[in-house]
Amino acid sequence: MGLNKNSKINLDEFKGYILVEKNFSQHTAKAYCSDVLDYIIWLDETDCTQVDFAKIRDYLHFMQKYNYKKTTLARKIASIRTFYKFLFREKKIESNPAENIISPKRPKSLPKFLSKEEVEDILNNINISTPAGYRNRAILELLWASGMRISELSGLNFENLNLENNEITVFGKGAKERIILITDRAKNYIEKYIEFARPLIAKGYTLPPISDDTPVFINKTGYRLQTRMIRNVINDIVEKIELPKKVTPHMFRHSFATHLIENGADLRVVQELLGHASISNTQIYTHVSMQHMKEVYQEAHPRA
């Protein structure tokens, strides 16, 4: 299999377009570019600007043999459609051969969440007698209180903190800035972590003076705590308390949103707190809440 030189140039320009102009996150841009690279490798020496709808349809048939999940297939198709929209926009093609490609319907799956009791069980089983343990408690308290993404938490710098007003500025998908709110309890853990635990985490290492761009959460060598480490922390606690479900950092986000909706929070407010671009992304939590309501009804009603 070859790689057409012009196709490769177009892919490089496409990457810049989705990162700078479309403001895609690094993660999404990487996935889209990988999908398009697979496609132009399949095209071999054929220039991507010289194909028609039938050729793209052949590629879709080729992908079917890999039995991709519908969500993966939908993303790959979206990548190719976005790529050709870019080529058409840049006048590199006279017509868009991918315009009429139909994406498979994504299966609707309700997000999994933790009950309030399960969250408290996890939090209360963190050993806070060590600096790292206290940091871990502050992290999970923050995830639970704010609904922020794990990547947003990992990327926090001191300039993002406005603890006096219980506010934190985060940069979500596509580097979109938003302000999130936190509880007094979460603020208390963060303040004590910063004052007492953080200076002791990197034992044997000299921490630089705190400035605006200093990371809030650090590892044992004083560098920014990565998302993988936060996942490991959660996995260890869940294994310790033998919670009968797989728990991910994102489940704290789902739990945050679900419990807000259950307690009567306005959907638009939840949308803002989560940083969802569309209200439709937030509405799924109303379905989760309704499902939970039905389960409680079935268990509690004597005639159910």
Side-chain angles (χ1 to χ4, degrees):
M1 301 290 283
L3 186 63
N4 180 271
K5 183 178 179 180
N6 188 52
S7 296
K8 179 64 169 60
I9 293 172
N10 283 320
L11 174 57
D12 291 339
E13 293 178 359
F14 173 68
K15 181 178 181 181
Y17 165 71
I18 59 177
L19 278 173
V20 178
E21 295 194 40
K22 297 292 286 182
N23 208 19
F24 281 19
S25 68
Q26 288 285 345
H27 177 76
T28 302
K30 183 178 179 181
Y32 269 48
C33 290
S34 176
D35 293 338
V36 175
L37 178 60
D38 289 343
Y39 167 64
I40 63 177
I41 288 175
W42 177 83
L43 286 176
D44 199 9
E45 290 297 333
T46 302
D47 189 332
C48 64
T49 64
Q50 303 298 316
V51 304
D52 54 15
F53 174 77
K55 189 70 173 178
I56 298 177
R57 186 177 57 197
D58 289 344
Y59 179 65
L60 300 184
H61 290 156
F62 165 77
M63 284 198 296
Q64 287 178 357
K65 72 177 185 178
Y66 290 101
N67 295 318
Y68 288 119
K69 292 180 181 179
K70 283 188 177 180
T71 50
T72 302
L73 187 59
R75 191 205 67 221
K76 288 181 175 295
I77 291 174
S79 301
I80 293 172
R81 290 177 64 177
T82 306
F83 179 57
Y84 275 104
K85 279 184 181 178
F86 161 73
L87 295 178
F88 183 69
R89 174 183 180 271
E90 296 297 309
K91 295 182 171 52
K92 298 194 176 198
I93 51 177
E94 293 184 1
S95 61
N96 184 350
E99 188 174 12
N100 295 320
I101 296 177
I102 299 175
S103 297
K105 288 187 176 180
R106 296 173 183 259
K108 291 184 178 179
S109 59
L110 297 178
K112 296 180 175 62
F113 66 97
L114 298 161
S115 69
K116 300 179 186 71
E117 294 74 22
E118 288 171 333
V119 173
E120 291 297 339
D121 198 18
I122 291 172
L123 294 174
N124 291 332
N125 276 279
I126 301 173
N127 178 12
I128 61 174
S129 64
T130 66
Y134 203 92
R135 175 204 62 198
N136 296 342
R137 177 69 185 257
I139 285 172
L140 296 195
E141 286 282 355
L142 182 52
L143 287 177
W144 166 230
S146 67
M148 67 168 58
R149 300 177 180 92
I150 185 175
S151 58
E152 294 169 346
L153 186 144
S154 174
L156 285 180
N157 294 331
F158 274 86
E159 66 180 343
N160 305 130
L161 303 183
N162 182 4
L163 297 180
E164 183 179 347
N165 294 321
N166 291 59
E167 296 176 357
I168 296 178
T169 302
V170 297
F171 294 88
K173 290 185 176 181
K176 292 180 181 176
E177 179 181 324
R178 75 180 190 281
I179 295 176
I180 62 169
L181 307 177
I182 61 172
T183 61
D184 285 337
R185 189 171 92 169
K187 179 178 77 170
N188 183 54
Y189 273 100
I190 295 169
E191 287 177 336
K192 288 185 176 178
Y193 154 73
I194 292 172
E195 185 175 358
F196 302 112
R198 189 181 184 277
L200 301 175
I201 285 178
K203 192 174 181 179
Y205 293 85
T206 302
L207 295 178
I210 292 176
S211 62
D212 284 351
D213 59 356
T214 299
V216 175
F217 295 107
I218 58 175
N219 59 25
K220 63 182 181 181
T221 58
Y223 289 97
R224 186 182 302 279
L225 190 69
Q226 299 301 309
T227 58
R228 182 183 70 255
M229 185 64 184
I230 302 173
R231 291 190 179 92
N232 291 341
V233 167
I234 295 175
N235 290 339
D236 290 344
I237 298 167
V238 169
E239 184 177 341
K240 172 186 173 184
I241 64 177
E242 299 181 344
L243 192 65
K245 62 173 63 173
K246 179 176 175 59
V247 180
T248 66
H250 218 66
M251 282 181 71
F252 281 80
R253 180 172 165 85
H254 293 323
S255 306
F256 165 82
T258 302
H259 295 148
L260 283 181
I261 296 293
E262 284 182 345
N263 287 304
D266 182 86
L267 200 60
R268 290 288 181 184
V269 172
V270 178
Q271 178 191 2
E272 288 295 324
L273 291 172
L274 292 175
H276 283 163
S278 169
I279 193 70
S280 62
N281 295 329
T282 316
Q283 284 174 329
I284 191 169
Y285 295 107
T286 63
H287 299 307
V288 173
S289 182
M290 180 59 70
Q291 183 186 49
H292 178 64
M293 189 187 305
K294 288 179 179 179
E295 290 171 356
V296 172
Y297 173 81
Q298 291 292 335
E299 292 175 3
H301 197 285
R303 297 289 185 181

